[in-house]
Amino acid sequence: MRTRLRLIPLLICCLSAPSIAAGLPPLVISPDLIKSRPRPGVETKPPEQEAPAGSGSPAAARPSSPAPGAPAGAAPASARAPGAAPAPTDGTAPPATDRAALAPGATDITADRIYGTRSVELVAEGSAELRREDVVLTGDRLVYREVTDEAEAHGNVRLEQGTTVISGPDARLKITDQVGEFASPQYSLSRQSESTTPGEAPRVIEGSGHADTMYFEGENQYRLKNATWSTCKPDDPDWYLRTRDLQLDYDREVGTARGASMIFKDTPIFWWPWAEFPLVGQRQSGFLMPSYGVSNKVGVDVSVPYYWNIAPNYDMTIAPRFMGRRGVQLSNEFRYLTPGYSGELQVEWMPRDRVTGEERTLGALQHQQVIAPGLFGSIDLNAVSDDEYFEDLSSNVSMSSKVNLLREGRLTYAPSDWWSASALVQSYQTLVTDELVKPVEPYRRLPQLLLNANRNDLPLGTTFAFRGEYVQFDHPEKELNTGSRFTLYPQVALPFERAGYYVTPKIGVHHTQYELDRPQHEAGLKDSITRSLPIFTLDAGLNFERDTTYFGQGYLQTLEPRIYYVNVPHEDQSDIPIFDTARYDFGFAQIFSENLYSGGDRIADANQITAAVTSRLIDPETGAERMRATVGQRYYLRDQEVTMPGEIPRTGRRADVLAAFSGRVTQTSSIESAWQYNPNDSWTERFNFGVRYQPAYAKALNVRYRYSRRDVLTGVTAAGFEDVDVSGQWPLGRNWYGVARVTRSLKESRITETIAGLEYDGGCWALRTAVHRFATNPDDVTQAIFVQLELNGLASVGSSPINLLRRSVPGYGKINEPVGNRVFGAY
């Protein structure tokens, strides 16, 4: 009887528990109880009275459905966070807006079965989920301790926070402090870097992998044991880092690996005891990926650079380089950037070249500085130890063909937008690589002083321009003239412009005075020479427009005739030496200039008219120019008398005819052509023609033909050329791309340059290989091999041919360039 009496109250209690719980107020976790310090600006409520075990949860807990077979007394009550919508009491799922309205700092927990003690420990089982702000933690079983703000999850655990996703069998985490650990995790961590290049889209770098254990060491701080890391797809990465200890610091965006192996296609290719790598491509100290190459000049070429990030505005790259044929070279590049000055210093040193037996060095310094408001300075110094330095040690055709290395210092004062003054000292190191053809070293300027002024706001609409110069020329060769040149050239113009036409007359006086030091064999010539020449020009043009249609497309067509007249009287200038003067290349820019020559040692006599007409097709919707055609010719009213030494004076009345055409024939094809025709002798002086077909990114085909009857500068017919150039980049299928260029000299019947390469886009990596052969002359051929493995988001291994391909193949596109960075044809 006593037993029955004892059971009755217990039975009543159990049967009435749901109805009692349904009448309780919502159960709330105060943010003050789950944080080590209060969060400013978050409104909280005092803690509720502790509930007995089994009566409810100390969180915003809602059962998703009763657990099968669970006792009635274990069914949890419904509770919500501050500010959340009331939870239904009929056992149905809460509305979706309930989660969206979760208050800052509040915790929301759902599960099939929830029990525990309020403000002490809550246990959620069956599809358990914990949510706070952007953190979502799910698992088969979840334990949450409110006082320590600690959650434990077991079985099919998954943690999501923003773009971070981690899954595994077990996890323990302090939610607010982001401290804890994850057992056997599979992880994916994505971050978006801020673009430092204007117009460039931000990059998203995703790192993924697995580990034995992941430790959370604060927000954006992770440490992993026996881990992998890759930017490939997590399921089956083509490459990954396998590390004993891996630290991912997403505040500094730096990864640190200890005992790391680089695995590519299941094959280890490198091992580092310690290495740091960028998580989103920022600068940091450490060894860069080695570069490899092979050429006939240096043999096997291996470089292992070390990058030292000294400060945000200073860095240095130290690169030991081993060349199989020549020996060891040490290269150092130091860069600096401050608000007042910037520059770059490069030094290369080879103690002994095995081929030549000599020490070989290179030094280069470029420096720019703001000295005071409006006062700027710059230094550009370059030097090598011997004439064959670039030819022997560089596989770059542009470097191998260097002849004059600049050495100059410059000061510029520009206090306003209409005048400026500058001072310059300048010399060159001239490299002699062919004993049969020795280049002449340019004159040294010790110093050169310049004054320039332009005013466009003078009375009556006139404009004024002035150029003044004083320069002292020097030369190491004693058989050449030296001395000084003083120049004053004021000009006044009266532009008359209207909507459909313009007329601009201009007059100036070019005054020059020389003080010369003649060599012994010119002792009889004058040492002091003065020259003053008036120069008159008249520039006039018309602008016509009309709407027209070609091939069903509407365009705005223009017709722009132009006439340019020049008159300069003749004055004998044969006694003036040539310091810095050369004949301009004949072209559209030259025929609309007042002088045939650059520099100030020759002012060509002129009484001539240039006539030209240009027509353009413009897209009326975008304003883009689709086509341009120009034809022009110069007419001489008297014979030429002023010439350069050795130049044959012109006697004909007509100059060569110039014609040019450029345009996009279709959306994917474009044509460029230029023609120079000699009507006096009825032959073509020069002709260029090029076609490009580029239907998409990394798909381009180019054909070019170039012909010149004589050398452009010297006018020697024997030095002319005729060649054909074919280049392109095209997908071959299965992510393979081919890239090539062949330049053949038709005049010499030989191939002067060849490039052949293959590229493969592996999605998260790219492989490139290229062979480059070029001949600076028929007897001197340089060959180089480039092989590069680029691991997206990490580094590249080998020697990169990208700069060579971009320079040599118009329209070339880097196949693994981020989509946000691709600009059609802009390379």
Side-chain angles (χ1 to χ4, degrees), residues 114-125:
I114 300 176
Y115 59 92
T117 301
R118 168 181 276 180
S119 301
V120 179
E121 181 177 278
L122 180 146
V123 180
E125 295 180 342

Side-chain angles (χ1 to χ4, degrees), residues 707-734:
Y707 168 80
S708 179
R709 186 173 178 273
R710 66 188 76 192
D711 184 83
V712 174
L713 297 179
T714 65
V716 179
T717 303
F721 61 84
E722 182 180 13
D723 57 40
V724 174
D725 185 301
V726 180
S727 63
Q729 179 188 22
W730 203 260
L732 306 177
R734 298 182 180 271

